Amino acid sequence: MQQGVWQQKWVIGNWKMNGSSAQNTRLLEEICALPQADKVCVGVAPPALYLAPAAAQLAVADSANPICLSAQMASRFNGSGAYTGEISAPMLADVGVKLVLTGHSERSLYFAETAEQRRSQLEHILAADLQPLLCVGESLAQREAEQHFDTVAAQLAVLKDLSFVNGVAVAYEPVWAIGTGKTATPEQIGEMHQFIYDTLLSLLGGGVNIRILYGGSVNDQNAAAIFRVAHVDGALVGGASLKSEAFAAIIRAAQETD
C-alpha cells in the first residue's frame, strides 16, 4: 500500500462467495470505467479462485482509479506444505494481492476460527508485505448486554506487538448489521470508532497510520451519512459491491466527504 493511500477514504468491496468468470469480468470493467476519485482508495476482494484473472484484467485496464486487489482471507499456515485447500499469504502476494481481510465474523461463525489462528494469519500477511484489514465487531447479544467495548477490545488485542510498516487498518462490522439490512446509528458508529482509535493508539503508540472502516449493510443510500461520522475512514462493502451502480455511488459519497 503506497503512503498516499493512508490519507484517502477506503472503499473495499468484499464479494464473498459470489460471482463467475463472466460476471466478475463485467463488474471489474464497470468499476474501472468509473470517473476519477482521487480521494478514495478503491479495492475489491473476489473469491480466491478469481484473484489471478482479476489481477490480469486490472493489469491491462485503463482505469482512472487504480484498484487495490484484495483477498478475503489468508491461511494461518505459511509458505508451502501439506495443507490441502489452503492459500498462503506469499501465494496471494505472488498473484498481485495487496490487502487481505482477516477476522471476518463469518470466518468465526462458520469455520470456528480462533484469535490464535487470526494472530498467525496477521503475522504471515505482514511477513509477505501485504496489508491486513482486521475485522472486529460484536453480536446483538453482546451489544444488548453492554459488552460491545470489551468484545472489540479483545478482538483488537491480536494486534499487540505486531510491527506495522505502513499502518494499521481495522473494519468495524457489528455482527448484527452484516447482511441484515440493519445499520448502526451514526452515534453508535462514532462511539465505537473513537473507542477503536483510542485502543489502537494504546496498543501501538502514536505515529502509526490508522484507517478505521465501517461495514455492515453499507449501501448507496446510507454511505454519505456514515462517511460524515468522525473517524470513519471508509467502508467495507458487501452486497452493494456486487452492483456497479451502487458501488459507484458509495465511492462518490466517499469522494465528496471531507
Side-chain angles (χ1 to χ4, degrees):
M1 306 286 284
Q2 297 178 346
Q3 189 65 24
V5 164
W6 295 92
Q7 281 69 54
Q8 296 176 311
K9 284 270 197 300
W10 293 13
V11 177
I12 310 298
N14 178 13
W15 294 0
K16 305 192 180 184
M17 197 174 72
N18 293 290
S20 67
S21 294
Q23 291 172 343
N24 297 347
T25 298
R26 183 169 58 254
L27 182 55
L28 279 179
E29 287 175 348
E30 293 169 351
I31 294 172
C32 288
L34 295 176
Q36 183 178 9
D38 58 342
K39 297 180 182 179
V40 184
C41 171
V42 179
V44 295
L49 178 66
Y50 299 118
L51 284 168
Q57 182 177 350
L58 292 174
V60 299
D62 182 17
S63 175
N65 301 303
I67 308 299
C68 175
L69 185 62
S70 309
Q72 297 178 16
M73 62 162 290
S75 176
R76 68 180 187 272
F77 303 108
N78 203 29
S80 54
Y83 305 113
T84 301
E86 293 289 284
I87 300 173
S88 71
M91 291 175 177
L92 296 173
D94 187 47
V95 299
V97 167
K98 301 298 182 185
L99 181 145
V100 184
L101 309 185
T102 186
H104 196 284
S105 62
E106 291 165 358
R107 299 297 308 172
S108 301
L109 178 62
Y110 301 123
F111 303 101
E113 282 189 356
T114 65
E116 291 76 13
Q117 293 169 351
R118 197 168 301 139
R119 173 72 180 205
S120 295
Q121 292 170 10
L122 284 163
E123 290 172 347
H124 299 326
I125 292 166
L126 290 167
D129 292 325
L130 300 174
Q131 176 63 50
L133 176 58
L134 175 66
C135 301
V136 299
E138 78 284 0
S139 68
L140 182 59
Q142 290 164 334
R143 164 68 65 168
E144 292 178 340
E146 298 186 354
Q147 298 172 344
H148 45 297
F149 291 131
D150 290 342
T151 298
V152 170
Q155 293 167 346
L156 291 171
V158 298
L159 299 172
K160 187 175 177 60
D161 297 326
L162 290 175
S163 178
F164 292 88
V165 176
N166 295 313
V168 60
V170 172
Y172 170 55
E173 292 195 303
V175 178
W176 47 272
I178 299 174
T180 64
K182 298 179 180 178
T183 307
T185 66
E187 292 76 20
Q188 289 171 326
I189 296 171
E191 183 181 49
M192 183 58 80
H193 277 237
Q194 182 68 60
F195 174 79
I196 291 171
Y197 185 82
D198 292 341
T199 303
L200 291 175
L201 289 180
S202 177
L203 284 171
L204 305 173
V208 63
N209 290 313
I210 294 175
R211 295 279 89 182
I212 307 173
L213 283 60
Y214 175 77
S217 297
V218 178
N219 58 48
D220 52 334
Q221 300 299 311
N222 60 26
I226 291 170
F227 289 141
R228 286 194 292 267
V229 177
H231 291 305
V232 172
D233 301 312
L236 181 58
V237 186
S241 69
L242 300 171
K243 306 168 186 176
S244 59
E245 298 87 352
F247 198 52
I250 296 169
I251 294 169
R252 186 164 57 252
Q255 174 73 8
E256 294 172 353
T257 305
D258 294 330

